[in-house]
Structure formats: C-alpha cells, structure tokens
Amino acid sequence: MRQIKPLEIGDLTVEKPVIQGGMGVGISLHRLAGAVAKAGGLGIISTAQIGFREPDFKDDPLSANLRAIGTELKKAREIAPAGVIGFNIMVATKQYEQYVKAAVKAGADIIISGAGLPVSLPEYAAEAWRELESENGGKGRRRTKLAPIVSTAKSASVICRFWDRKYKMVPDLIVIEGPLAGGHLGFTREQLGEYGADTADVEHTYKRDCYDREVAEILKVVKTYEEKYDTRIPVVTAGGIYDHEDVLHQLSLGVDGVQVATRLVTTRECDAPDCYKQAYIKAKAEDIVITKSPVGMPGRAIVNPFLEEAAGGRIPPRRCFRCLETCDPSKTPYCITAALVNAAEGDLDHALLFCGSNACRAERIETVEEVMRELAGV
C-alpha cells in the first residue's frame, strides 16, 4: 500500500490526512475524537445535542450543550494531548453563534460547519477570539481554523466569495461532502438521482466519474482564491470512503485528504452503544435508504421500525428541544432530537440510524488504530 502525506492546515499538521466525520447525536464525542487524534488523524466532536446526558438537558438544552462542549473537548485532550481536535457545528442549529463561540473559547483547533452555508462563521469566531483576548485567555493559543462543508462548485463559490468580500479572508480548509455520505446530505433528492446515489444498489448505480468532475470544478474555485490570497487552501473529500483504495482515488483527484465517518462507527472507541454498531454490521445494502429529514434535507439511514412508522405518518413530538432553526414542532414529521438520542441510548426500534452508503461493508468491531493504519496505508 502506498503511504500518503500529512495534511497541513496552516500551522496545524495532521500526521495521517484523515478527518473523522462529526456524527451526532452522541456518536462522535470525546472517546472517538480523542482516539482518532491519538492515532494521528483529526478528531471531530459533534455539537449536535452534545449535552444530551447532562441532568438539565430536557429543561435547558442550550445550557447543557454549551457546557458539554468544554467538557467533551477536555476529555478528548486527555486521550490525545498532542492531537488535533475540533468540532462539527451545524449551521441549522438554533443559537449557532453561541455554539461557535463556545467551541472557540474551549480551545478547538478547528470548526467544520455544514448543514447550511456558514456565511457568518468567521464573524462569530472573531467575536469569540476578541472576547478571549480581552480576558487574556487567548494568549499563546492558536486561532481556531474554520472549514465550511460544500457539495457543489456553486456552494464553494458562494462561500469563498462571501468570506472574501465581507471578511477579507478565505477558509482554512474546505470539506467536499459527496452524495455517498451518511446523515444529512447537501443535495436534493433529484441531484442524488442524477448521480445514481439514491438507490439501495449504490455499488452499481453510483456515477463516480460524474461526481469526480464536480470535485474538479470545486478545486478550480479554490485555486482562484488561493491565487488571490497567495495562500494554500487544503481540500478534503468525504462520503463513501471506506478503505485505502478509496483514499488513493480521492487523492488522485488532487485533494489533500479525506473525511471518514461510517468506517469509524464500528470501532471499540466510538461513542455509540454496541447495539448501534451491530446494526451497521448486520445491515445489508438494501437496508440503507434515503429518507426525508425534519431538517428539510435528504438523509441516508438504515431501515428499522422507526423509519417504517415515520413513513406511515407523522409522529408528533412529545417536547421541543429547540435544536433547529428550520423546525416547526407543530408540523415536523417527527422529533429528530428524540430519534437520535434514542439511537445514542440504544433504543433502536425508536431511533433514526444515520449511516453512510458503505455501512453494509462493516463485518466486525475494529480499533481506531487499526482503521487509521489501513486508511493511511501504513
């Protein structure tokens, strides 16, 4: 197997150019992020309802979540003191600004942000940094790197142009998330159909060359801004990356690294319960489907009794956790927080089991170290 180069993000060096994807609720917390960082990758903690285990979560989810950001990062740093660790924060999150500021103040190395266009991410991060400096809390610390998630050349252009005009800056890193990714997808159902990524037979229907061309167009957009700012903007791709050959293919497109999530779920260190991991191992290709999420985006998940019930009609929420800007509790098809918390707590019959297109390839529980070595070809 061919060895690959480290991922350089400004003054951050990630020994193995593998970013662990952020998976909420409760799937990628400190154990997984810390283990990935310790193994030489970039560990990412998802802030999506990160405080669901806090005693006051049901009554005051915002306070519980903001508190847990610091707690989870601290625990991850204890696992990997010298590792690179950050957060995934969804733009669609209510009080998005507060989550960004909490992550910066906690000492995140990087914030990766999608589920919407993170047009205000630099503003919120800068405000948090100024507050830190006024308190002398920023002395000797690296500035938190900022990385938007894009899926098309159009979205990459919008983000880079906006950040350039308003903030006189460019992203520190760009994550390209393709149509084979798990969870919420940055495509319409029609776009997924164009790539052949909306069926249960993705292995034979997915038009890889077609999306490879989209990646090339995104790289052209990035190059324009690299030249304007005389800087290097590293790019990583995500979605459907499961083994070393997948990594090599992505690198052959001209990107600097990859983001991997599904492959890391079935590891000992993943924060998900064992029954969740076993659901991946038991899943067959036909069990992985595209479903409509309350967020308003298509999502990829494993068929189970919950999805079957949701397909039959609305499941009224019992309470509102005030998680998403776009959610109307009186109309939402189901409460996504409740469904994802159930998954994290092992109540799989009432859970939304997000996964990537390759979840059916999982055969056993591995260690993070084993997975990282195989992905990197060492």
Side-chain angles (χ1 to χ4, degrees), residues 337-375:
T337 284
L340 292 174
V341 167
N342 286 343
E345 293 182 340
D347 183 6
L348 300 196
D349 286 348
H350 302 95
L352 178 59
L353 302 176
F354 275 148
C355 70
S357 61
N358 281 318
C360 57
R361 292 175 62 180
E363 297 178 345
R364 63 187 178 88
I365 301 297
E366 304 173 271
T367 66
V368 164
E369 178 66 31
E370 288 172 332
V371 172
M372 293 294 291
R373 288 177 62 85
E374 200 274 331
L375 289 170

Side-chain angles (χ1 to χ4, degrees), residues 14 18-22 28-29 32-38 40-45 73 76 83-88 109-110 112 372:
V14 182
V18 178
I19 298 174
Q20 164 246 313
S28 58
L29 296 174
L32 181 57
V36 169
K38 184 177 180 180
L42 200 168
I44 294 293
I45 300 166
L73 182 59
V84 184
I85 303 169
F87 290 94
N88 179 292
D109 292 317
I110 189 168
I112 297 176
M372 293 294 291

Side-chain angles (χ1 to χ4, degrees), residues 27 40 56 58 70 81 104-106 137 142 161 182 221 259 279 289 303 306 309 314-315 325 327 339:
I27 307 305
D56 58 341
K58 291 183 179 179
V104 171
K105 291 181 178 181
R142 285 193 181 102
R161 185 170 63 248
V221 172
Q259 179 175 284
V289 299
V303 170
F306 174 78
E309 181 183 358
R314 182 170 181 264
I315 305 173
E325 286 288 357
C327 182

Side-chain angles (χ1 to χ4, degrees), residues 273-284:
D274 288 341
C275 58
Y276 187 105
K277 301 173 188 181
Q278 289 301 322
Y280 275 45
I281 292 172
K282 295 174 183 176
K284 299 177 181 178

Side-chain angles (χ1 to χ4, degrees), residues 277-299:
K277 301 173 188 181
Q278 289 301 322
Y280 275 45
I281 292 172
K282 295 174 183 176
K284 299 177 181 178
E286 58 267 27
D287 298 325
I288 300 172
V289 299
I290 302 295
T291 185
K292 184 177 180 180
S293 163
V295 175
M297 301 175 177

